Amino acid sequence: EVIRYSNTVGKLDEKDRLKILYYVGLSHLAKNNFGEARKSFTRLKERDSTKNYADLADTRIADSFFLEKNYAQGLQLYSPIPGKYPKSEFLPYVYYRLVLASQKVGDFTQAKRYYEILNKNYPESFEAIRLTSVLDPMDLEGFSVQVGSFSDRNKAAGMQSMLLNKGYVSSVKKSQKDNVIYYRVRIHCKSRPEAERIATKLRLEGLSAKVFP
């Protein structure tokens, strides 16, 4: 509907044209038409003489790569936004994406740094609250394979012993979600491929294994 409506832009003033271009880009993102989304947001930047959409257009272009799972390119495009637009109202969202994109490419030092900036500068933002609720601090330490999450500390210790007998060194970390304490047993890995290999092997042995992040 938005895309069809965009065909009438010639009858609108410039402010409305820019708004239509933005929503056309969002429509393409929603439909996973990432190339077309980038074209729309690029045209938006080119036509926006007031620069009112500049920060948002740059953010959405970065989004198109992130959603396409091209995390390295997304990270490269998100990274300069805070410096280019220090007063942008979208910075909490940008830092949120920077945390996730940094995790995806395995740069956990940067992920931690962005996480700290988000929580220090925008502690009441939706993004900071959401990230705190969905992100386990363990996920900022590196790739890992979670083999169990137990409310009973003794069961977690038993799983840890069993893994050691299989040749895997694991750790038990205490975490809390919805006011419930969990003890999570994880095998820490140097890379995602290593984590995937271990998880696959453990599943073949009948164990539950999930790669994080």
Side-chain angles (χ1 to χ4, degrees), residues 162-207:
M162 185 180 74
L163 289 171
L164 187 60
N165 289 335
K166 291 177 176 290
Y168 299 106
V169 176
S170 61
S171 65
V172 176
K173 293 291 183 71
K174 181 180 176 181
S175 64
Q176 183 172 328
K177 185 176 182 180
D178 298 328
N179 296 320
V180 178
I181 300 295
Y182 292 97
Y183 299 92
R184 300 183 177 182
V185 183
R186 291 192 180 185
I187 301 168
H188 296 278
C189 307
K190 295 180 180 179
S191 66
R192 177 173 286 277
E194 179 188 12
E196 294 287 359
R197 286 195 301 272
I198 291 174
T200 298
K201 186 175 180 180
L202 290 173
R203 291 185 196 116
L204 290 175
E205 294 177 14
L207 294 174

